[in-house]
Amino acid sequence: MAGGGIVETVKKYLDMKTIVLSLLAIAIGGVIGLGVYTFVFAKGLSYFGTNPATCANCHAMNEEYDAWQAGSHHAVATCNDCHLPHDNIVHKYWVKAEDGFLHGLKFSTGWYPENIQIRDVNKRVAEKNCLYCHEGLTEDVQMTRTHDTQVSCLKCHSEVGHRK
């Protein structure tokens, strides 16, 4: 055979570098494909907006969404107003991305409790947002505390945003 057989041709093109690069390309393509599919399936673009209905994209948040609609802040505040920081845009979108990733992970895997609880970091954001909107109302309450003691709005008003 003049030019060698098919086995020699395959060996020539299938060296270790080619195999590794091919497997890497398949893996990266799979991750990107799965990511795009998940983003489309989970209505990913909606999370860049401010529509509160977005929070009910997954059935796990239906109860919280319904409770917000029944709550006193329904007409004046959206989910983002209470659950995202107002100090700067980078911090806002950092928290939004972190929460979105964790929500997506927990929803996709089913690793969320039946009774969803707010994380401490998100509770601190919500507390700051209470003060952000109601600073004039809380000034007198703060005056009764020492400088290093912070009043917890959520301790007494835990159902304001999500009436149960």
Side-chain angles (χ1 to χ4, degrees), residues 87-121:
D87 56 352
N88 68 65
I89 196 162
V90 173
H91 188 210
K92 175 182 178 176
Y93 281 99
W94 177 266
V95 170
K96 190 169 187 146
E98 179 184 38
D99 287 348
F101 173 77
L102 292 173
H103 292 163
L105 177 67
K106 290 180 178 188
F107 178 69
S108 298
T109 60
W111 298 340
Y112 58 89
E114 190 171 316
N115 182 19
I116 295 174
Q117 297 293 312
I118 191 169
R119 296 182 309 144
D120 286 340
V121 66

Side-chain angles (χ1 to χ4, degrees), residues 21-96:
L21 289 175
S22 297
L23 291 175
L24 187 61
I26 290 169
I28 290 171
V31 168
I32 290 171
L34 184 60
V36 168
Y37 171 78
T38 302
F39 191 78
V40 171
F41 175 74
K43 303 174 190 161
L45 282 178
S46 66
Y47 292 96
F48 290 100
T50 59
N51 184 350
T54 299
C55 296
N57 276 352
C58 67
H59 65 84
M61 295 299 287
N62 284 341
E63 188 177 326
E64 284 74 14
Y65 179 71
D66 292 343
W68 168 77
Q69 287 186 310
S72 61
H73 282 68
H74 173 253
V76 294
T78 66
C79 306
N80 288 339
D81 293 326
C82 296
H83 292 283
L84 292 179
H86 296 276
D87 56 352
N88 68 65
I89 196 162
V90 173
H91 188 210
K92 175 182 178 176
Y93 281 99
W94 177 266
V95 170
K96 190 169 187 146

Side-chain angles (χ1 to χ4, degrees), residues 97-156:
E98 179 184 38
D99 287 348
F101 173 77
L102 292 173
H103 292 163
L105 177 67
K106 290 180 178 188
F107 178 69
S108 298
T109 60
W111 298 340
Y112 58 89
E114 190 171 316
N115 182 19
I116 295 174
Q117 297 293 312
I118 191 169
R119 296 182 309 144
D120 286 340
V121 66
N122 296 104
K123 192 179 285 188
R124 287 191 297 275
V125 167
E127 286 277 356
K128 285 182 181 176
N129 289 337
C130 292
L131 297 174
Y132 179 83
C133 292
H134 299 290
E135 184 176 30
L137 297 172
T138 61
E139 233 171 52
D140 292 339
V141 175
Q142 287 300 107
M143 297 284 275
T144 65
R145 304 292 190 255
T146 61
H147 179 67
D148 60 339
T149 305
Q150 176 66 41
V151 175
S152 170
C153 304
L154 299 176
K155 184 173 184 179
C156 298

Side-chain angles (χ1 to χ4, degrees), residues 4-15:
I6 193 160
V7 174
E8 287 79 18
T9 304
V10 170
K11 281 183 181 180
K12 179 179 172 185
Y13 290 105
L14 286 183
D15 61 353

